[in-house]
Amino acid sequence: MLIRKDVSLRDKCHYKTGGPAAWYAEPSRGGELRRVLEWASEKNIPFEIIGCGANLLISDEGCRELVICLSSFGRWAARDGALSVSCGAGLRLSELVDFTVRRGLKGLEKLSGIPGSVGGALAMNAGAYGAEIKDAVSSVSVMDASGAERELSPGEIGFCYRGSPGLRGLIVTGASFILEKGSSEALENDRAEILKKRREKQPLDRPSCGSVFKRPPSGYAGEFIEKCGLKGLRKGGAVISEKHANFILNDAGASSADIKWLMDEAARRVREEYGVELEPEVRLLGFG
């Protein structure tokens, strides 16, 4: 059955918190996705799209919408030409990076270690170490709520820092990338170095969503939170990381409410002490 009722979302996000979805579907192909959308339209039920849940915090009460999970949708990648690659939205970003690095295709290796799916990475224009996924995108395949499909160019999407305005209200189903010729050995070395830096600087041993807040216009979110003396601040089973202050960890059976409280407290303190507004990078689902 494509659509199920009252499905727990706790295992659908990296935080391992959150309540149930009133309705849930996990299509793996375009035809299945279209049927799910038709059902939602007939029942007049709003829907939310999630991927691997790497950048997601779900309310403890869950959500009343139909949650469509694309973590199993389009888990494929193909080389279209000498320097072009296409893939489905459900492919893990790490799998796409591996696919390109092994073939000596340069352009995505700096995204090594970023969790989540390609669809999610495109929706938030994921980036690291001076590179963003938009830098290599040639087109993005999307489906609208009616089930109609089309291709969008980067110009139509309007990629910006941690955002893709042109994709709002649309469902990413796949993408194509134009890369540069490189050396597999050199790219493997670059990837290994980036992964090493991540292990050194980021707390990767406990559940988190990665960076909680976007980089403000000046400075870094983690630096402001650290200067407020909030490293190690705890609420229930959640804690602001001692290693990197822009990470909130599920340290010991945290609830989503615990994590959200720490987010709000960090934002409040930084606003009061430095006049800086921290904007969440993590997506909130079911919080109203």
Side-chain angles (χ1 to χ4, degrees), residues 201-252:
K201 296 180 179 180
Q202 299 177 357
L204 304 178
D205 58 330
R206 282 163 288 176
S208 81
C209 70
S211 294
V212 174
F213 296 103
K214 297 179 181 180
R215 188 178 68 238
S218 62
Y220 294 89
E223 291 179 353
F224 284 112
I225 296 169
E226 182 175 354
K227 287 192 290 186
C228 288
L230 297 179
K231 275 188 170 182
L233 180 65
R234 183 177 292 275
K235 174 68 172 177
V239 63
I240 295 178
S241 171
E242 294 275 9
K243 193 171 188 179
H244 193 311
N246 199 21
F247 280 62
I248 296 176
L249 310 177
N250 182 347
D251 189 48

Side-chain angles (χ1 to χ4, degrees), residues 11-53:
D11 291 330
K12 308 300 180 182
C13 75
H14 284 206
Y15 260 129
K16 303 302 180 187
T17 64
W23 303 94
Y24 178 85
E26 195 168 321
S28 59
R29 297 183 294 276
E32 292 180 350
L33 175 58
R34 196 171 286 106
R35 290 201 298 276
V36 169
L37 293 172
E38 288 171 356
W39 181 89
S41 177
E42 290 169 1
K43 301 290 185 181
N44 197 29
I45 295 175
F47 64 86
E48 293 281 353
I49 302 294
I50 67 172
C52 303

Side-chain angles (χ1 to χ4, degrees), residues 42-101:
E42 290 169 1
K43 301 290 185 181
N44 197 29
I45 295 175
F47 64 86
E48 293 281 353
I49 302 294
I50 67 172
C52 303
N55 195 46
L56 184 66
L57 180 64
I58 302 166
S59 165
D60 294 313
E61 285 70 44
C63 60
R64 298 176 181 177
E65 297 89 350
L66 162 65
V67 172
I68 304 174
C69 178
L70 298 184
S71 64
S72 300
F73 187 96
R75 292 287 299 273
W76 60 271
R79 191 167 184 170
D80 299 327
L83 299 175
S84 59
V85 167
S86 59
C87 69
L91 188 74
R92 304 300 185 262
L93 183 58
S94 60
E95 293 172 334
L96 176 61
V97 172
D98 182 70
F99 184 88
T100 59
V101 164

Side-chain angles (χ1 to χ4, degrees), residues 97-105 109 112 182-196:
V97 172
D98 182 70
F99 184 88
T100 59
V101 164
R102 288 178 179 274
R103 287 159 178 80
L105 296 173
E109 65 283 349
S112 297
S183 158
S184 293
E185 183 178 358
L187 293 172
E188 289 280 10
N189 290 337
D190 289 345
R191 177 169 61 170
E193 184 61 28
I194 287 169
L195 293 174
K196 179 184 176 185

